[in-house]
Amino acid sequence: ASADNSTDDGGTNVPVIDSGDFGDGRSTMLNLNGDALEISRRTRSTEQDMGDSGVWTIFVYMCGTDLEAYQGSATEDLEEMIDGVSENNVRFVVETDGTSEWYNNTVEGETKQRFVIDEYGIEEVYSGSSTNMGSSSTLEDFLRWGVEEYASQRMGVILWNHGSGSISGVCFDENFDCDSLTVREMETALTEIYGDMTCRFDFFGFDACLMSTVEVANMLAPHAEYMYASQELESGYGWDYEAIGEYLSKNGVSADGAALGKEVCDSFMKSCERSGEEDESTLACIDLSKLDIALVEFNSYIADLYSYCSNDNVKFASVIRAIKSAESYGGNNDT
């Protein structure tokens, strides 16, 4: 193993160690050496683009559940993708499942289907028996197939459904007792396909509530350059896929993960303004290359806070009051 002793502009030492394959579906390990945080991640010595040059491919893992069965939200987003793509430099590759009923005549309930959406419209490329979208093996199978059949110069992944943050994860499959993808299961799926890829995804996004947490970002760091996720609740309308398709049709691969992330966030907030939900909506584009610095600094801060409070009830009480008054997300209670 070799340590990367690079520093940020402030001189923060980030002891990130390339330890290769950890086994057991892990790509990241955090350890404490005394009070110091050590970060070990699976990394590549070099990264190379994959597949079709000049093309953006976005893989969408669309678990319909009640969002589709009750209000047709997934169908609306599929229609937005179709309307948004007008050039041959962008495509959405979509896996649908996770609900018993769809609001269109193309997608079938209790069936796993895969579609390609490009400038020609939507084409079904696979149909088979329903599989649990809350299982790491189902996500792994979709992404392995996707990067084998539709790899391109720039690639991103979107998990579409309900989200519950670091506790229960995302994609609650109503055909399988609402089983969900936990953070650990997502890591397992991404670790299993790591060897099939020569680069990270340009982004990994969650069109779902509450997924912008440090635990999720830490899991994604070896696998994507950026994370798109909401700190709070998302509008039921979700992201504006027509705007995303139009932006990529116009800009193609000249738009990297950061530029696309800005468009995803800006177009989402504009759609929330149109529906009157802007005050409750959040969405962030996170540069995962900055995460290790944040983790090390936060660990140092917590160590200092612990030392400050140790054996001093007055100081401890002041810290508790500050925590209770801090901004929080996800309906946190007072305990």
Side-chain angles (χ1 to χ4, degrees), residues 186-330:
M186 286 183 271
E187 181 179 21
T188 296
L190 290 167
T191 300
E192 290 300 319
I193 69 162
Y194 188 92
D196 297 338
M197 303 184 65
T198 60
C199 61
R200 291 166 292 167
F201 290 105
D202 290 83
F203 78 88
F204 200 104
F206 300 90
D207 192 354
C209 298
L210 300 170
M211 295 305 294
S212 190
T213 71
V214 69
E215 293 86 1
V216 175
N218 180 61
M219 176 273 295
L220 287 177
H223 305 289
E225 295 184 17
Y226 293 88
M227 178 180 80
Y228 309 162
S230 174
Q231 301 94 314
E232 247 298 348
L233 304 180
E234 274 199 4
S235 162
Y237 296 102
W239 296 1
D240 187 339
Y241 289 94
E242 184 172 359
I244 295 169
E246 289 175 347
Y247 177 81
L248 290 180
S249 293
K250 178 181 179 181
N251 294 281
V253 296
S254 65
D256 61 7
L260 177 59
K262 183 177 186 303
E263 174 61 26
V264 170
C265 292
D266 288 348
S267 62
F268 170 73
M269 293 308 296
K270 289 177 182 176
S271 70
C272 291
E273 290 171 1
R274 291 193 294 269
S275 63
E277 299 175 278
E278 67 273 18
D279 291 340
E280 295 80 31
S281 297
T282 57
L283 190 61
C285 172
I286 307 296
D287 182 350
L288 295 174
S289 71
K290 309 298 185 184
L291 180 65
D292 292 333
I293 294 171
L295 291 175
V296 169
E297 291 288 354
F298 185 73
N299 178 74
S300 177
Y301 162 70
I302 293 299
D304 290 344
L305 196 63
Y306 180 83
S307 177
Y308 172 79
C309 295
S310 183
N311 300 318
D312 190 323
N313 290 336
V314 174
K315 290 180 178 179
F316 180 75
S318 70
V319 170
I320 294 300
R321 286 193 294 271
I323 292 172
K324 289 170 69 70
S325 64
E327 185 173 3
S328 62
Y329 297 101

